[in-house]
Coordinates of all heavy atoms in Angstrom, one line a residue:
M1 N 21.3 12.6 -6.9 CA 21.2 12.2 -8.3 C 19.8 12.0 -8.6 O 19.1 11.2 -8.0 CB 22.1 11.0 -8.5 CG 22.0 10.5 -9.9 SD 23.2 9.1 -10.0 CE 22.7 8.5 -11.6
P2 N 19.2 12.6 -9.6 CA 17.8 12.4 -10.0 C 17.6 11.1 -10.7 O 18.5 10.6 -11.4 CB 17.5 13.6 -10.8 CG 18.8 14.0 -11.4 CD 19.8 13.7 -10.4
A3 N 16.4 10.6 -10.7 CA 16.0 9.5 -11.4 C 16.0 9.8 -12.9 O 15.8 10.9 -13.3 CB 14.6 9.0 -11.0
T4 N 16.3 8.8 -13.7 CA 16.4 9.0 -15.2 C 15.2 8.5 -15.9 O 15.1 8.6 -17.1 CB 17.7 8.3 -15.7 OG1 17.6 6.9 -15.4 CG2 18.9 8.9 -15.2
S5 N 14.2 7.9 -15.2 CA 13.0 7.5 -15.8 C 11.8 7.4 -14.8 O 12.1 7.4 -13.6 CB 13.1 6.1 -16.5 OG 13.3 5.1 -15.4
K6 N 10.6 7.4 -15.3 CA 9.5 7.3 -14.4 C 9.5 6.0 -13.6 O 9.2 6.0 -12.4 CB 8.2 7.4 -15.2 CG 8.0 8.8 -15.7 CD 6.7 8.9 -16.6 CE 6.5 10.3 -17.2 NZ 5.3 10.3 -18.0
A7 N 9.9 4.9 -14.3 CA 9.9 3.6 -13.6 C 10.9 3.6 -12.5 O 10.7 3.1 -11.4 CB 10.3 2.5 -14.6
Q8 N 12.1 4.3 -12.7 CA 13.1 4.3 -11.6 C 12.6 5.2 -10.5 O 12.8 4.9 -9.3 CB 14.4 4.9 -12.2 CG 15.6 4.8 -11.4 CD 16.8 5.4 -12.1 OE1 16.8 6.5 -12.5 NE2 17.9 4.6 -12.1
Q9 N 11.9 6.3 -10.8 CA 11.4 7.2 -9.7 C 10.3 6.4 -8.9 O 10.3 6.5 -7.7 CB 10.8 8.4 -10.4 CG 10.4 9.5 -9.4 CD 8.9 9.4 -9.1 OE1 8.1 8.7 -9.7 NE2 8.6 10.1 -8.0
K10 N 9.5 5.7 -9.5 CA 8.5 4.9 -8.8 C 9.1 3.8 -8.0 O 8.6 3.6 -6.8 CB 7.5 4.3 -9.8 CG 6.5 5.4 -10.4 CD 5.8 4.9 -11.7 CE 4.8 3.8 -11.4 NZ 4.1 3.5 -12.6
A11 N 10.1 3.1 -8.5 CA 10.7 2.1 -7.7 C 11.4 2.7 -6.5 O 11.4 2.1 -5.4 CB 11.7 1.4 -8.6
A12 N 12.0 3.8 -6.6 CA 12.7 4.5 -5.5 C 11.7 4.9 -4.5 O 11.9 4.8 -3.3 CB 13.5 5.7 -6.0
G13 N 10.5 5.3 -4.9 CA 9.4 5.7 -3.9 C 9.0 4.5 -3.1 O 8.7 4.6 -1.9
A14 N 8.8 3.4 -3.8 CA 8.4 2.2 -3.1 C 9.4 1.7 -2.1 O 9.1 1.3 -1.0 CB 8.1 1.1 -4.1
A15 N 10.7 1.7 -2.5 CA 11.8 1.3 -1.6 C 11.9 2.3 -0.4 O 12.1 1.8 0.7 CB 13.1 1.3 -2.4
L16 N 11.7 3.6 -0.7 CA 11.8 4.6 0.4 C 10.6 4.3 1.4 O 10.8 4.4 2.6 CB 11.7 6.0 -0.2 CG 11.7 7.1 0.8 CD1 13.0 7.1 1.6 CD2 11.6 8.5 0.1
S17 N 9.5 4.0 0.9 CA 8.3 3.7 1.8 C 8.6 2.5 2.7 O 8.3 2.5 3.9 CB 7.1 3.4 0.9 OG 6.0 3.1 1.7
A18 N 9.3 1.5 2.1 CA 9.6 0.3 2.9 C 10.7 0.7 3.9 O 10.7 0.2 5.1 CB 10.1 -0.8 2.0
K19 N 11.7 1.5 3.5 CA 12.8 1.9 4.5 C 12.2 2.6 5.7 O 12.7 2.5 6.8 CB 13.8 2.9 3.8 CG 14.8 2.2 3.0 CD 16.1 2.0 3.8 CE 17.2 1.7 2.8 NZ 18.1 0.8 3.3
R20 N 11.2 3.4 5.4 CA 10.6 4.2 6.5 C 9.6 3.4 7.3 O 9.0 3.9 8.3 CB 9.9 5.4 5.9 CG 10.8 6.4 5.3 CD 10.1 7.6 4.7 NE 11.1 8.6 4.3 CZ 10.7 9.7 3.6 NH1 9.5 9.8 3.1 NH2 11.7 10.5 3.2
G21 N 9.3 2.1 6.9 CA 8.4 1.3 7.6 C 7.0 1.5 7.3 O 6.1 1.0 8.0
E22 N 6.7 2.2 6.2 CA 5.3 2.5 5.8 C 4.7 1.4 5.1 O 3.5 1.3 5.0 CB 5.3 3.8 5.0 CG 5.7 5.0 5.8 CD 6.0 6.3 4.9 OE1 5.9 6.2 3.7 OE2 6.4 7.3 5.5
T23 N 5.5 0.6 4.4 CA 5.0 -0.6 3.7 C 5.9 -1.8 4.1 O 7.0 -1.6 4.6 CB 5.0 -0.4 2.2 OG1 6.3 -0.1 1.7 CG2 4.1 0.7 1.7
K24 N 5.4 -3.0 3.8 CA 6.2 -4.2 4.2 C 7.3 -4.4 3.1 O 7.0 -4.3 1.9 CB 5.3 -5.4 4.3 CG 4.3 -5.3 5.4 CD 3.4 -6.5 5.4 CE 2.3 -6.3 6.5 NZ 1.4 -7.4 6.4
T25 N 8.4 -4.9 3.5 CA 9.5 -5.2 2.6 C 9.1 -6.4 1.7 O 9.6 -6.5 0.6 CB 10.8 -5.5 3.3 OG1 10.7 -6.5 4.2 CG2 11.3 -4.2 4.0
S26 N 8.2 -7.2 2.2 CA 7.8 -8.4 1.4 C 7.0 -8.0 0.2 O 6.8 -8.8 -0.7 CB 7.0 -9.3 2.3 OG 5.8 -8.7 2.8
E27 N 6.5 -6.8 0.2 CA 5.7 -6.3 -0.9 C 6.5 -5.7 -2.1 O 6.0 -5.5 -3.1 CB 4.7 -5.2 -0.5 CG 3.6 -5.7 0.5 CD 2.8 -4.6 1.0 OE1 2.8 -3.4 0.6 OE2 2.0 -4.9 1.9
L28 N 7.8 -5.5 -1.8 CA 8.7 -5.0 -2.8 C 9.0 -6.1 -3.9 O 9.2 -7.3 -3.6 CB 10.0 -4.5 -2.2 CG 9.9 -3.4 -1.2 CD1 11.3 -3.1 -0.7 CD2 9.3 -2.1 -1.9
K29 N 9.2 -5.6 -5.1 CA 9.5 -6.5 -6.2 C 10.5 -5.9 -7.1 O 10.6 -4.6 -7.2 CB 8.2 -6.8 -7.1 CG 7.1 -7.5 -6.3 CD 5.9 -7.6 -7.2 CE 4.8 -8.2 -6.4 NZ 3.5 -8.2 -7.2
G30 N 11.3 -6.7 -7.8 CA 12.2 -6.2 -8.9 C 13.1 -5.1 -8.4 O 13.8 -5.3 -7.4
A31 N 13.2 -4.0 -9.1 CA 14.1 -2.9 -8.9 C 14.0 -2.3 -7.5 O 15.0 -2.0 -6.9 CB 14.0 -1.9 -10.0
S32 N 12.8 -2.2 -7.0 CA 12.6 -1.5 -5.7 C 13.2 -2.4 -4.6 O 13.7 -1.9 -3.6 CB 11.1 -1.3 -5.4 OG 10.3 -2.5 -5.5
K33 N 13.2 -3.7 -4.8 CA 13.8 -4.6 -3.8 C 15.3 -4.4 -3.8 O 15.9 -4.3 -2.7 CB 13.5 -6.1 -4.1 CG 13.9 -7.0 -3.0 CD 13.6 -8.4 -3.3 CE 12.1 -8.7 -3.0 NZ 11.8 -10.2 -3.0
G34 N 15.9 -4.3 -4.9 CA 17.3 -4.1 -5.0 C 17.7 -2.7 -4.5 O 18.7 -2.6 -3.8
M35 N 16.9 -1.7 -4.8 CA 17.2 -0.3 -4.3 C 17.1 -0.3 -2.8 O 17.9 0.3 -2.1 CB 16.2 0.7 -4.9 CG 16.4 0.9 -6.3 SD 15.1 2.0 -6.9 CE 16.0 3.1 -8.0
Y36 N 16.1 -1.0 -2.2 CA 15.9 -1.0 -0.8 C 17.2 -1.6 -0.1 O 17.6 -1.0 0.9 CB 14.7 -1.9 -0.4 CG 14.6 -2.2 1.1 CD1 14.0 -1.2 1.9 CD2 15.0 -3.3 1.7 CE1 13.8 -1.4 3.2 CE2 14.8 -3.6 3.0 CZ 14.2 -2.6 3.8 OH 14.1 -2.8 5.2
K37 N 17.8 -2.6 -0.7 CA 18.9 -3.3 -0.1 C 20.2 -2.5 -0.2 O 21.1 -2.5 0.6 CB 19.1 -4.7 -0.6 CG 18.0 -5.7 -0.2 CD 18.2 -7.0 -0.9 CE 17.1 -8.0 -0.5 NZ 17.3 -9.3 -1.2
S38 N 20.3 -1.8 -1.4 CA 21.6 -1.2 -1.7 C 21.8 0.3 -1.5 O 22.9 0.8 -1.6 CB 22.0 -1.5 -3.2 OG 21.1 -0.9 -4.0
M39 N 20.7 1.0 -1.3 CA 20.7 2.4 -1.2 C 20.3 2.9 0.2 O 19.5 2.3 0.9 CB 19.8 3.1 -2.2 CG 20.2 2.7 -3.7 SD 19.1 3.3 -4.9 CE 19.4 5.1 -4.9
S40 N 20.8 4.1 0.6 CA 20.5 4.7 1.9 C 19.2 5.5 1.7 O 18.7 5.7 0.6 CB 21.6 5.7 2.3 OG 21.6 6.8 1.4
E41 N 18.6 5.8 2.8 CA 17.3 6.6 2.8 C 17.5 7.9 2.0 O 16.7 8.3 1.3 CB 16.8 6.8 4.2 CG 15.4 7.4 4.2 CD 14.8 7.4 5.6 OE1 15.1 6.6 6.5 OE2 13.9 8.3 5.8
K42 N 18.6 8.5 2.3 CA 18.9 9.8 1.6 C 19.0 9.7 0.1 O 18.4 10.5 -0.7 CB 20.2 10.4 2.1 CG 20.7 11.6 1.5 CD 20.3 12.9 2.3 CE 21.0 14.1 1.7 NZ 20.1 14.9 1.0
Q43 N 19.7 8.6 -0.4 CA 19.8 8.4 -1.8 C 18.4 8.1 -2.4 O 18.1 8.6 -3.5 CB 20.7 7.2 -2.1 CG 22.2 7.4 -1.8 CD 23.0 6.2 -1.9 OE1 22.6 5.1 -1.3 NE2 24.1 6.2 -2.6
L44 N 17.6 7.3 -1.7 CA 16.3 7.0 -2.2 C 15.4 8.3 -2.3 O 14.6 8.4 -3.2 CB 15.6 6.0 -1.3 CG 16.2 4.5 -1.4 CD1 15.6 3.7 -0.3 CD2 15.9 4.0 -2.8
E45 N 15.6 9.1 -1.3 CA 14.8 10.4 -1.3 C 15.1 11.2 -2.5 O 14.3 11.8 -3.2 CB 15.1 11.2 -0.1 CG 14.4 10.8 1.2 CD 14.9 11.6 2.4 OE1 15.7 12.5 2.3 OE2 14.3 11.3 3.5
E46 N 16.4 11.3 -2.9 CA 16.9 12.0 -4.1 C 16.2 11.5 -5.4 O 15.8 12.2 -6.2 CB 18.4 12.1 -4.2 CG 19.0 12.9 -3.1 CD 20.5 12.8 -3.1 OE1 21.1 12.1 -4.0 OE2 21.2 13.4 -2.2
F47 N 16.2 10.2 -5.5 CA 15.6 9.5 -6.6 C 14.1 9.8 -6.6 O 13.5 10.1 -7.7 CB 15.9 8.0 -6.7 CG 17.2 7.7 -7.4 CD1 18.4 7.8 -6.8 CD2 17.1 7.2 -8.7 CE1 19.5 7.5 -7.4 CE2 18.3 6.8 -9.3 CZ 19.5 7.0 -8.7
A48 N 13.4 9.6 -5.5 CA 12.0 9.6 -5.4 C 11.4 11.0 -5.6 O 10.3 11.2 -6.1 CB 11.5 9.0 -4.1
E49 N 12.2 12.0 -5.2 CA 11.7 13.4 -5.3 C 11.8 14.0 -6.7 O 11.4 15.1 -7.0 CB 12.3 14.3 -4.3 CG 13.7 14.6 -4.5 CD 14.4 15.4 -3.4 OE1 13.7 15.6 -2.4 OE2 15.5 15.8 -3.6
T50 N 12.4 13.3 -7.7 CA 12.6 13.7 -9.0 C 11.2 14.0 -9.7 O 10.3 13.2 -9.5 CB 13.3 12.7 -9.9 OG1 14.5 12.3 -9.3 CG2 13.5 13.1 -11.3
K51 N 11.1 15.1 -10.3 CA 9.9 15.5 -11.0 C 9.7 14.5 -12.2 O 10.6 14.3 -12.9 CB 9.9 16.9 -11.5 CG 10.1 18.0 -10.4 CD 8.8 18.0 -9.5 CE 9.0 19.0 -8.4 NZ 8.5 18.7 -7.1
R52 N 8.5 14.0 -12.4 CA 8.2 13.1 -13.4 C 8.0 13.7 -14.8 O 8.1 13.0 -15.8 CB 7.0 12.2 -13.1 CG 7.3 11.4 -11.8 CD 6.2 10.5 -11.4 NE 6.0 9.5 -12.4 CZ 5.0 8.6 -12.4 NH1 4.1 8.7 -11.4 NH2 4.9 7.7 -13.3
K53 N 7.7 15.0 -14.8 CA 7.4 15.6 -16.1 C 8.6 15.6 -17.0 O 9.7 16.0 -16.6 CB 7.0 17.1 -15.8 CG 6.5 17.8 -17.1 CD 6.0 19.2 -16.8 CE 5.5 19.8 -18.1 NZ 5.0 21.2 -17.8
G54 N 8.5 15.1 -18.2 CA 9.6 15.1 -19.2 C 10.4 13.8 -19.1 O 11.3 13.6 -19.9
L55 N 10.2 13.0 -18.1 CA 11.0 11.8 -18.0 C 10.4 10.7 -18.9 O 9.2 10.6 -19.0 CB 11.0 11.2 -16.5 CG 11.8 11.9 -15.5 CD1 11.6 11.2 -14.1 CD2 13.3 12.0 -15.9
P56 N 11.3 9.8 -19.5 CA 10.7 8.7 -20.3 C 10.1 7.7 -19.3 O 10.5 7.6 -18.1 CB 11.9 8.2 -21.0 CG 13.1 8.5 -20.1 CD 12.7 9.9 -19.5
E57 N 9.2 6.8 -19.8 CA 8.7 5.8 -19.0 C 9.7 4.8 -18.5 O 9.8 4.5 -17.3 CB 7.6 4.9 -19.8 CG 6.3 5.6 -20.0 CD 5.6 5.9 -18.7 OE1 5.6 5.1 -17.8 OE2 4.9 7.0 -18.6
K58 N 10.6 4.4 -19.4 CA 11.8 3.6 -19.0 C 13.0 4.1 -19.6 O 13.1 4.8 -20.6 CB 11.5 2.1 -19.5 CG 10.4 1.4 -18.9 CD 10.3 0.0 -19.3 CE 9.2 -0.7 -18.6 NZ 9.2 -2.1 -18.8
K59 N 14.1 3.9 -18.9 CA 15.4 4.3 -19.3 C 15.9 3.5 -20.5 O 15.7 2.3 -20.6 CB 16.4 4.0 -18.2 CG 17.8 4.5 -18.4 CD 18.7 4.2 -17.2 CE 20.1 4.5 -17.5 NZ 21.0 4.1 -16.4
S60 N 16.4 4.2 -21.5 CA 16.9 3.5 -22.7 C 18.2 2.7 -22.4 O 18.9 3.1 -21.5 CB 17.2 4.4 -23.8 OG 18.3 5.2 -23.6
K61 N 18.4 1.6 -23.1 CA 19.6 0.7 -22.8 C 20.8 1.2 -23.5 O 21.8 0.5 -23.4 CB 19.2 -0.7 -23.2 CG 18.1 -1.2 -22.3 CD 17.9 -2.7 -22.5 CE 16.7 -3.1 -21.6 NZ 16.8 -4.5 -21.2
H62 N 20.8 2.4 -24.1 CA 22.0 2.8 -24.8 C 23.0 3.5 -23.9 O 22.8 4.1 -23.0 CB 21.6 3.8 -25.9 CG 20.8 3.2 -27.0 ND1 21.3 2.3 -27.9 CD2 19.5 3.3 -27.2 CE1 20.3 1.9 -28.6 NE2 19.2 2.5 -28.3

């Protein structure tokens, strides 16, 4: 499932980096911390690899 916004894509990338041990989990904040805890590495890869072109900065609440 692709990310629906640039913010979501960036958060998934940060969480994926922590899952792989490339960054410390203590550096995660907000959505990336929740994603780290609740999603598998495969799911995070799918979100993080989404192309950013054409995505809104943030997901609308509608």
Side-chain angles (χ1 to χ4, degrees):
M1 180 173 168
T4 57
S5 70
K6 291 178 184 179
Q8 192 178 53
Q9 187 265 346
K10 287 165 64 175
L16 180 59
S17 177
K19 276 267 194 216
R20 292 178 173 169
E22 297 166 358
T23 58
K24 296 177 183 177
T25 56
S26 61
E27 294 176 7
L28 297 178
K29 298 176 185 171
S32 58
K33 187 180 280 190
M35 290 175 138
Y36 173 81
K37 291 179 181 178
S38 66
M39 298 174 75
S40 69
E41 188 172 332
K42 175 95 171 105
Q43 290 172 312
L44 289 169
E45 283 175 359
E46 290 174 4
F47 271 79
E49 72 186 6
T50 303
K51 301 292 182 218
R52 295 179 70 186
K53 186 175 181 178
L55 287 180
E57 283 298 321
K58 293 189 177 189
K59 185 177 171 186
S60 70
K61 296 191 180 204
H62 297 288

